Amino acid sequence: MQEFDVIVIGQGYAGLVAAKLASERGLKTASVEGMYAGGLVMNINHLDPAPEGVEPVGAEVISTVAMANMDAGIAQVMAPVSALRQGGAGWIVETGEGPLTASDVIVASGARYRKLGVPGEAELFGRGVSECADCDGPMFGGMDTVIVGGGDSAYQEAVALAQFADKVTILMRGDGPRARPDLVEQVEADNKIEVRTGVRVTEVLGDDTGVTGVRLERTDGGTEELPCGGVFVFIGLEPVTDFLPGEVDRGGDGGVVTDAKGATGQPGLWALGAVREGFGGRLTDADTDAALLVSALA
Ligand code: NDP
């Protein structure tokens, strides 16, 4: 079994930065990733705000840190993590390429977009239902589209999607957005974007050609069908914690509960980035949190 001082699970932005800082501290570090580096940040063409001194493009930011980590000799383990348990040098991380052990493990496995869970959403995914405006936007040229949600993701993606689509309607179940004021301003200034409050999407409608519309329920009890060719769902994030043992505390949103430095209740087990409850959500928050966490390692 390969032994390290620190194993970082996840090569999203937070995990990459933590691995970099741990290696700079002289700790023998492994950086584990099941799919490809970057996580959700890879799909964002305009990072706002971006970390200082880098191009504000998700893929650029990720490749810069990932390449530097490889050059620094950080062990790259490209295999999914199936389990984490106590043992060996402190913790054993089971991966598709065999077990690894370290006294400290930093869980930076990130989050995935939450689903609405309504009929049609899963069936039409990839045929009009999407979760990436920058990647899929060009396919919606000349179409009416909807975005579900009212947070930073919904507002940021609406602005990205409006570069391609004829119209973007943001659908919110509440009576106002939770997005940052500057993102709200950008949406208000874009005459291709309309915002509707007090509406729930109860079904994604479609046929052999893909999405044809959404069924809505209004707070006044009425229902309607809104024709559209694209449905983008941004209703929050679901932390990726499937491989974690039951004794690791999770909060109400499913995120790992930590103290301000990222320590979980388990000795030597840390959490960082979107997998952690209460994460601030920006790359600059990941930078600050990673620095605090790595400086707290023994
Ligand atoms: P949030 O949890 O911040 O917002 C989710 C939104 O979806 C809320 O408006 C919520 O509305 C709505 N919602 C939740 N559940 C449902 C549902 N079942 N049906 C309809 N609407 C629903 O998620 P985001 O993905 O927007 O952001 C996640 C994190 O990432 C945040 O920390 C954010 O700041 C960060 N982020 C930062 C960016 C940046 O810095 N540029 C860009 C994007 C994200 P309601 O009020 O009704 O609950």
Side-chain angles (χ1 to χ4, degrees), residues 167-183:
K167 183 171 180 188
V168 180
T169 306
I170 299 180
L171 302 171
M172 238 173 285
R173 63 181 179 179
D175 55 12
R178 285 206 232 158
R180 277 176 5 216
D182 58 308
L183 291 173

Side-chain angles (χ1 to χ4, degrees), residues 249-265:
D249 279 348
R250 327 280 164 88
D253 68 355
V256 178
V257 176
T258 70
D259 68 10
K261 292 178 175 161
T264 70

Side-chain angles (χ1 to χ4, degrees), residues 173-276:
R173 63 181 179 179
D175 55 12
R178 285 206 232 158
R180 277 176 5 216
D182 58 308
L183 291 173
V184 173
E185 269 174 35
Q186 288 179 42
V187 161
E188 283 171 354
D190 193 320
N191 58 18
K192 280 189 179 176
I193 308 176
E194 182 187 343
V195 175
R196 285 190 61 182
T197 56
V199 279
R200 276 175 193 276
V201 173
T202 56
E203 186 174 355
V204 180
L205 306 167
D207 58 22
D208 291 349
T209 63
V211 167
T212 56
V214 285
R215 198 184 306 283
L216 301 179
E217 192 178 280
R218 300 190 302 266
T219 38
D220 66 8
T223 59
E224 65 183 271
E225 283 182 20
L226 179 65
C228 62
V231 177
F232 290 71
V233 180
F234 297 108
I235 59 166
L237 301 175
E238 186 182 275
V240 177
T241 61
D242 323 279
F243 58 89
L244 289 181
E247 61 266 28
V248 177
D249 279 348
R250 327 280 164 88
D253 68 355
V256 178
V257 176
T258 70
D259 68 10
K261 292 178 175 161
T264 70
Q266 309 291 322
L269 188 64
W270 310 77
L272 179 72
V275 74
R276 186 186 140 185

Side-chain angles (χ1 to χ4, degrees), residues 48 114 150-153 156 173 178 180 234-236 280-282:
D48 172 23
R114 283 180 56 209
D152 289 347
S153 296
Q156 178 172 274
R173 63 181 179 179
R178 285 206 232 158
R180 277 176 5 216
F234 297 108
I235 59 166
R282 302 184 193 190

